[in-house]
Amino acid sequence: MWDIITPLFKEIHEDLTDELKYLKLKHEIKDSRELIERLAARAKLDPLSEEFSQHLDKNDKLSHLREEFSIPKSSEVTLNGVVSLNPNEPSVYFCGNSLGLMPKRARILVNQELDVWAKSGVNGHFTHPHNRPWVSIDDTVVEKMAEVVGAKPIEIAVMNTLTSNLHLIMASFYTPKKHRNKILIEAKAFPSDQYAVESQIKFHGYDPATTLIKVNPPPGEYIINLNDILNIIEKEGSSIALVLFSGVHYYSGQFFKMKKITAAAKKKGCIVGFDLSHAAGNVVLKLHKWNVDFAVWCSYKYLNSGPGGIAGIFIHEKHAHDFNRPRFAGWWGSDRRSRFQMDKPFNPIPGAGGFQVSNPSVLNTISLLASLDVFAQTSMVQLRAKSILLTGYLDYLLDKQLNGLGYKNITPRDPHQRGCQISLMIDEDKLEKVINGLNSYGVVVDERTPDCIRVAPNPMYNSFSDVFRFVKALKIIMGNLGFKFETKK
Ligand SMILES: *Cc1c(COP(=O)(O)O)cnc(C)c1O
């Protein structure tokens, strides 16, 4: 990939720091559809041709990462009695925003742990043939996880699952007072987050109807204007205890301007937290630098840790030694040296580690490690560069091949305001036919009834040919549903 974008923005390829590459990327790519046309012109290929998709794959410097994953065959992903048209072809798996594919390494590592368990029993906690004693199993993943979200190791812990962590961290960081008790959240947040937030408000004796402020998109739209968020923070900031946003919205795919939201809210003295379930492993994050107070995320989406995998938390370093906040403590958050001395009082580990409660699941932690080992072969900046092209290519082909017929793209068109996901609204009466049709072509997307599909080409294991196959299949399906297309020039 670098080779073909190098002439367009040379420095991304070169030996700059990740930080500089990232800035360059943001600066150079304004319109990903225009970028696709420039690349096709340079290669002297028709941007709508299959050949062009193959050209992009050939030049993709990250294409080897696909080999690290088990890609299901088309026949293995059919549902609802759908008959696979090309059963032996690899599926086009665009559902990594719901459950990331399995890194092959996960099976090896998990089997190793099962062997240690079988042969050593409890001793595996302390002596371990692969040098991963269970008592400190989280040490294997913390640094790699920190790298993925732009944090220092002291700011990261892996523990529990997402919603439980949201509750635990809110217990410490949502401490409403009489004149500052509100929570600001985006409208239509993921239901679990809404339930968590409402129940926390009630737990403190307040009424969600007056205490929870939701930022809405303009009527009839899906994208929330940054200015609307900033205006509310400006007007109501002094009564807001916590600004809690998602990094990337699970439904619309909007990537919120986290740095600007954080800066505005910090200026007003609010605590700022993010749910990064759809952002971690998807977009470049700089949690430490952006001065975010806390963040939580699950790891089974873009972080490919497996169903129900162990989740991550970020607590900014500035809170590392603040032991005055309330906290729901457990033995795993207590000083390691005295952890097993049952008569010792709770002595919190400085940083995120002090928020751990229980000893972590080794099998879950190790399957997360398998995925983070793949992340460690590249960087979030490289993944993001490919992602911008890959999703930009999807956006481009949809536009040109389907002319906007049969669907409405509700995700921001600006590549810097979205991650890899594009959400398409489909008429309610057609959704099932579209899903089953795609399924027969071996395409897996995420279905949000009654009228939305979320399409997420993952730069780690998806190819440009995958995108080409998806759009081709969707066009045939929409054609069969009666839509007539002309190719836009
Ligand atoms: C996936 C997702 C969840 C799921 O929560 P769990 O506690 O992991 O079951 C919650 N919130 C958001 C925003 C999500 O994307």
Side-chain angles (χ1 to χ4, degrees):
M1 188 53 43
W2 304 121
D3 283 353
I4 60 168
I5 54 178
T6 292
L8 297 177
F9 19 90
K10 209 161 173 299
E11 289 79 357
I12 292 179
H13 177 57
E14 283 167 0
D15 211 16
L16 297 180
T17 63
D18 249 21
E19 182 65 24
L20 276 174
K21 284 181 191 165
Y22 172 61
L23 291 175
K24 195 81 188 162
L25 195 65
K26 287 192 76 150
H27 182 71
E28 299 272 358
I29 304 176
K30 294 274 186 276
D31 178 343
S32 55
R33 285 165 289 174
E34 187 221 272
L35 176 66
I36 296 298
E37 289 191 336
R38 277 160 70 193
L39 291 173
R42 186 172 290 273
K44 302 198 171 56
L45 290 170
D46 175 356
L48 302 182
S49 66
E50 185 165 15
E51 213 187 336
F52 180 55
S53 72
Q54 291 157 353
H55 166 78
L56 291 168
D57 280 337
K58 235 185 346 230
N59 287 282
D60 174 4
K61 284 269 166 74
L62 298 183
S63 61
H64 61 285
L65 297 178
R66 180 178 170 89
E67 302 303 316
E68 301 284 343
F69 291 86
S70 292
I71 313 282
K73 283 196 297 192
S74 291
S75 59
E76 292 168 332
V77 294
T78 50
L79 284 171
N80 313 321
V82 168
V83 176
S84 188
L85 296 171
N86 300 298
N88 288 319
E89 218 176 18
S91 61
V92 173
Y93 191 83
F94 283 170
C95 214
N97 53 349
S98 184
L99 182 73
L101 286 180
M102 187 190 87
K104 292 173 184 164
R105 207 175 147 64
R107 194 192 294 282
I108 298 169
L109 293 189
V110 167
N111 271 331
Q112 287 175 351
E113 297 307 337
L114 292 175
D115 284 340
V116 177
W117 181 23
K119 292 187 180 135
S120 311
V122 70
N123 290 349
H125 281 290
F126 307 104
T127 54
H128 194 288
H130 307 286
N131 210 8
R132 299 189 298 257
W134 299 334
V135 70
S136 51
I137 193 68
D138 46 318
D139 284 354
T140 61
V141 289
V142 163
E143 271 179 41
K144 288 174 176 150
M145 184 69 108
E147 193 62 39
V148 170
V149 296
K152 298 186 175 183
I154 195 176
E155 297 172 320
I156 298 292
V158 293
M159 56 192 231
N160 318 316
T161 44
L162 166 67
T163 311
S164 332
N165 286 342
L166 182 57
H167 276 300
L168 284 171
I169 307 307
M170 282 183 77
S172 293
F173 285 88
Y174 176 54
T175 48
K177 305 275 173 336
K178 188 155 179 272
H179 298 292
R180 191 194 273 274
N181 53 41
K182 292 181 182 159
I183 297 180
L184 182 72
I185 194 171
E186 79 270 16
K188 301 214 168 95
F190 194 91
S192 194
D193 301 51
Q194 294 190 49
Y195 305 152
V197 163
E198 283 175 14
S199 60
Q200 286 269 342
I201 289 173
K202 287 186 197 158
F203 175 74
H204 286 284
Y206 295 98
D207 177 3
T210 50
T211 309
L212 187 57
I213 317 174
K214 295 183 180 173
V215 193
N216 281 292
E221 293 181 26
Y222 293 87
I223 299 167
I224 300 176
N225 289 325
L226 176 65
N227 278 340
D228 291 344
I229 303 169
L230 299 181
N231 284 341
I232 295 183
I233 292 174
E234 181 60 34
K235 271 217 307 271
E236 309 208 32
S238 62
S239 67
I240 295 173
L242 171 66
V243 172
L244 182 70
F245 255 70
S246 55
V248 172
H249 194 273
Y250 82 99
Y251 192 85
S252 70
Q254 177 174 10
F255 178 18
F256 292 107
K257 297 284 180 196
M258 293 173 58
K259 185 178 164 185
K260 291 199 167 124
I261 293 170
T262 304
K266 291 314 296 173
K267 218 166 106 192
K268 290 286 174 181
C270 318
I271 289 285
V272 183
F274 284 95
D275 181 329
L276 301 176
S277 297
H278 282 264
N282 179 16
V283 290
V284 177
L285 299 167
K286 305 265 172 204
L287 296 183
H288 175 81
K289 207 163 153 226
W290 294 341
N291 197 23
V292 169
D293 288 297
F294 74 84
V296 289
W297 58 93
C298 56
S299 64
Y300 47 82
K301 292 170 182 166
Y302 296 100
L303 295 177
N304 318 311
S305 73
I310 194 161
I313 66 162
F314 164 90
I315 308 283
H316 198 282
E317 190 180 29
K318 66 190 171 187
H319 302 297
H321 295 274
D322 175 5
F323 304 119
N324 291 322
R325 290 185 172 277
R327 106 165 55 188
F328 288 173
W331 71 320
W332 225 253
S334 196
D335 180 49
R336 281 184 174 183
R337 281 156 305 183
S338 56
R339 198 183 259 163
F340 292 93
Q341 297 163 14
M342 296 297 162
D343 55 346
K344 288 284 191 316
F346 180 67
N347 181 13
I349 299 169
F355 289 82
Q356 297 170 94
V357 180
S358 296
N359 77 100
S361 155
V362 168
L363 297 182
N364 279 328
T365 307
I366 220 68
S367 89
L368 172 61
L369 173 62
S371 172
L372 292 177
D373 280 345
V374 185
F375 275 88
Q377 292 182 40
T378 175
S379 70
M380 278 314 299
V381 172
Q382 291 199 336
L383 282 167
R384 181 73 171 135
K386 175 176 171 186
S387 178
I388 286 174
L389 278 186
L390 192 64
T391 294
Y393 181 55
L394 169 63
D395 194 6
Y396 180 82
L397 284 187
L398 281 172
D399 238 22
K400 295 283 175 180
Q401 296 284 24
L402 283 96
N403 316 158
L405 292 176
Y407 73 92
K408 180 176 151 60
N409 178 353
I410 61 164
T411 303
R413 308 309 287 272
D414 169 5
H416 302 297
Q417 288 190 60
R418 68 181 176 211
C420 73
Q421 170 186 326
I422 289 185
S423 306
L424 306 176
M425 305 294 287
I426 310 254
D427 286 347
E428 261 181 61
D429 60 329
K430 302 199 171 65
L431 185 73
E432 217 42 55
K433 290 194 176 101
V434 169
I435 289 285
N436 290 344
L438 285 171
N439 207 208
S440 72
Y441 285 95
V443 179
V444 189
V445 295
D446 177 81
E447 176 184 10
R448 289 282 127 169
T449 50
D451 56 2
C452 181
I453 61 173
R454 302 183 304 159
V455 186
N458 188 320
M460 209 140 201
Y461 46 73
N462 286 125
S463 63
F464 292 85
S465 304
D466 282 347
V467 172
F468 186 88
R469 262 178 67 194
F470 164 76
V471 176
K472 190 172 162 190
L474 186 62
K475 186 170 179 175
I476 295 170
I477 295 158
M478 290 298 187
N480 291 341
L481 288 171
F483 293 101
K484 303 231 180 315
F485 310 103
E486 288 168 47
T487 299
K488 260 200 265 172
K489 280 290 169 198

